[in-house]
């Protein structure tokens, strides 16, 4: 196998809390590079079936190659909000275990060409599926100041959103933004100080907007629970407070309905050892519900 460009986070905890069993049907909404897939597949054995979804064609190519010899692994290309339709196309209507490890992969962040990182010069893109929708450059070069400031505030929780949006709009009148570092420099000039890089929150906001990440999450919180078999489990790993809040509230509502139990009173987080070897795991939060 090729070396994987992404390490699965809190993998042991995912297995323990989702408890996949021999012969079960697993749906992985974020197949990525197959780190969790490998473990889930081992747990369900030859009699179960693993279905994995991903919108990123580069991740899909890696995944298909990694599991080319496994006949009970199926990769479905697309966005996970369409999971029920993608599954129905292959004749599946119910599943036992669902995992969503949302956000971007290390490969997407580390690869300058994908345009996610303010620290690496690359095209200002940020699309997980690079052929679909508007890029980050399209947004910063066209949005009016007010909606841009709101976007940066709402999705980046950035206090200096207005200052940053003003600087972006002023600068683009002279020259449009084309690269990540170009935008990062403009933001750094407009908003100095603080512990983190001044562009961190704006880049997060643009990434969420470009990929419709919160809408995607809100949709699976609605349309995945009805797919679960009795005692089926649904786990979501999120990486920032906006996502975790959505998950927490939706799971509470599901529990109130009487059809689901929350299995994680507090979210499961990575241990110190894992954080040492995989920095990305430090902000991961896993919440799990079970169908009664
Ligand atoms: C954190 S990585 C998952 C890594 C995977 N668990 C592994 O172990 O390799 C997230 C993956 O989900 C994909 N993704 C994120 N949002 C998606 C969406 N709405 N629909 C489909 N795929 C999505 C990304 O392209 C990325 O490959």
């Amino acid at each position: 196998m090729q070396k994987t460009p992404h390490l699965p986070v809190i993998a042991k905890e995912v297995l323990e809390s989702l408890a996949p069993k021999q012969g079960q049907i697993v749906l992985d909404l974020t197949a990525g590079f197959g780190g969790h897939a490998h473990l889930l597949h081992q747990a369900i054995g030859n009699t179960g079936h693993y279905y994995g979804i991903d919108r990123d064609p580069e991740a899909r190519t890696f995944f298909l190659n990694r599991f080319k010899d496994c006949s009970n692994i199926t990769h479905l290309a697309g966005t996970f909000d369409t999971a029920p339709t993608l599954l129905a196309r292959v004749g599946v209507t119910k599943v036992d275990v669902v995992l969503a490890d949302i956000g971007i992969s290390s490969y997407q962040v580390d690869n300058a060409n994908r345009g996610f990182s303010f620290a690496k010069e690359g095209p200002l893109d940020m699309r997980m599926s690079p052929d679909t929708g508007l890029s980050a450059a399209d947004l910063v070069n066209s949005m009016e100041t007010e909606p841009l400031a709101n976007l940066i505030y709402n999705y980046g929780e950035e206090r200096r959103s207005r200052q940053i949006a003003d600087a972006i709009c002023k600068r683009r009148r002279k020259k449009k933004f084309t690269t990540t570092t170009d935008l990062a420099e403009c933001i750094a000039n407009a908003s100095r100080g603080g512990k983190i890089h001044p562009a961190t929150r704006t880049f997060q906001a643009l990434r969420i907007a470009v990929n419709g990440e919160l809408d995607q999450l809100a949709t699976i919180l609605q349309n995945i629970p009805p797919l679960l078999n009795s005692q089926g489990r649904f786990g979501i790993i999120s990486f920032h407070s906006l996502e975790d809040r959505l998950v927490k509230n939706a799971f509470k509502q599901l529990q109130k309905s009487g059809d689901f139990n929350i299995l994680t009173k507090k979210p499961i987080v990575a241990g110190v050892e894992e954080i040492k070897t995989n920095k990305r795991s430090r902000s991961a939060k896993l919440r799990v519900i079970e169908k009664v």
Side-chain angles (χ1 to χ4, degrees):
M1 190 193 72
Q2 248 175 295
K3 194 172 171 289
T4 173
H6 178 93
L7 288 176
V9 296
I10 43 178
K12 185 169 78 65
E13 294 83 351
V14 165
L15 276 191
E16 278 168 8
S17 57
L18 291 182
K21 295 177 190 58
Q22 290 278 319
Q24 287 194 320
I25 307 286
V26 166
L27 169 63
D28 183 355
L29 295 166
T30 50
F33 292 84
H36 289 113
H38 171 68
L39 300 168
L40 293 165
H41 178 241
Q42 272 185 333
I44 59 172
N46 291 333
T47 50
H49 202 108
Y50 166 100
Y51 296 89
I53 296 176
D54 208 291
R55 74 199 303 192
D56 185 327
E58 290 191 76
R60 175 177 161 84
T61 304
F62 184 97
F63 186 99
L64 289 176
N65 187 44
R66 177 170 182 177
F67 297 109
K68 59 181 183 299
D69 298 326
C70 302
S71 58
N72 62 341
I73 288 192
T74 305
H75 192 285
L76 306 164
T79 50
F80 58 54
D81 60 332
T82 63
T85 314
L86 294 173
L87 282 178
R89 273 191 210 143
V90 290
V92 177
T93 50
K94 289 280 177 193
V95 294
D96 299 301
V97 167
V98 184
L99 172 66
D101 171 20
I102 51 184
I104 44 179
S105 65
S106 305
Y107 175 82
Q108 288 163 330
V109 192
D110 295 343
N111 187 335
N113 280 333
R114 301 300 298 269
F116 285 100
S117 169
F118 51 77
K120 294 188 171 122
E121 176 152 19
L124 187 55
D125 194 319
M126 301 196 196
R127 286 173 297 176
M128 291 189 205
S129 21
D131 298 330
T132 319
L134 299 177
S135 68
D138 293 329
L139 295 190
V140 295
N141 287 326
S142 67
M143 286 182 77
E144 299 289 336
T145 316
E146 187 78 29
L148 183 58
N150 290 342
L151 182 155
I152 296 170
Y153 183 76
N154 290 331
Y155 293 161
E157 300 182 292
E158 170 59 86
R159 281 185 301 114
R160 301 181 198 179
S161 55
R162 180 75 210 200
Q163 222 169 300
I164 292 172
D166 279 340
I168 290 175
C169 295
K170 192 166 158 208
R171 162 44 229 274
R172 78 178 184 216
R173 284 199 280 276
K174 289 184 217 136
K175 188 171 168 269
K176 296 244 185 222
F177 291 96
T178 55
T179 68
T180 46
T181 41
D182 193 13
L183 177 64
E185 202 183 305
C186 168
I187 297 168
N189 288 334
S191 160
R192 290 192 187 282
K195 281 192 201 138
I196 55 172
H197 188 287
T200 309
R201 293 176 185 280
T202 304
F203 268 60
Q204 173 186 302
L206 287 169
R207 194 199 95 193
I208 291 176
V210 163
N211 295 291
E213 289 181 41
L214 296 181
D215 290 342
Q216 287 280 319
L217 175 58
T219 306
I220 56 168
L221 287 165
Q222 295 280 333
N223 69 10
I224 296 300
L227 294 181
L228 289 173
N229 278 323
S230 143
Q231 263 143 43
R233 292 186 180 186
F234 181 18
I236 303 186
I237 305 172
S238 63
F239 288 86
H240 54 77
S241 53
L242 294 172
E243 291 169 346
D244 185 52
R245 212 172 299 146
L246 274 180
V247 177
K248 187 173 146 189
N249 291 337
F251 280 9
K252 267 193 195 155
Q253 287 304 318
L254 286 165
Q255 180 157 269
K256 258 194 201 158
S257 75
D259 294 335
F260 294 87
N261 275 333
I262 294 175
L263 300 185
T264 44
K265 273 213 177 93
K266 289 247 163 70
I268 298 174
V269 295
V272 272
E273 284 310 311
E274 179 174 0
I275 295 174
K276 266 190 224 160
T277 52
N278 184 7
K279 239 177 74 190
R280 204 178 155 268
S281 66
R282 72 185 183 280
S283 30
K285 285 196 171 129
L286 168 66
R287 293 186 188 269
V288 182
I289 47 162
E290 181 179 54
K291 183 142 182 190
V292 175

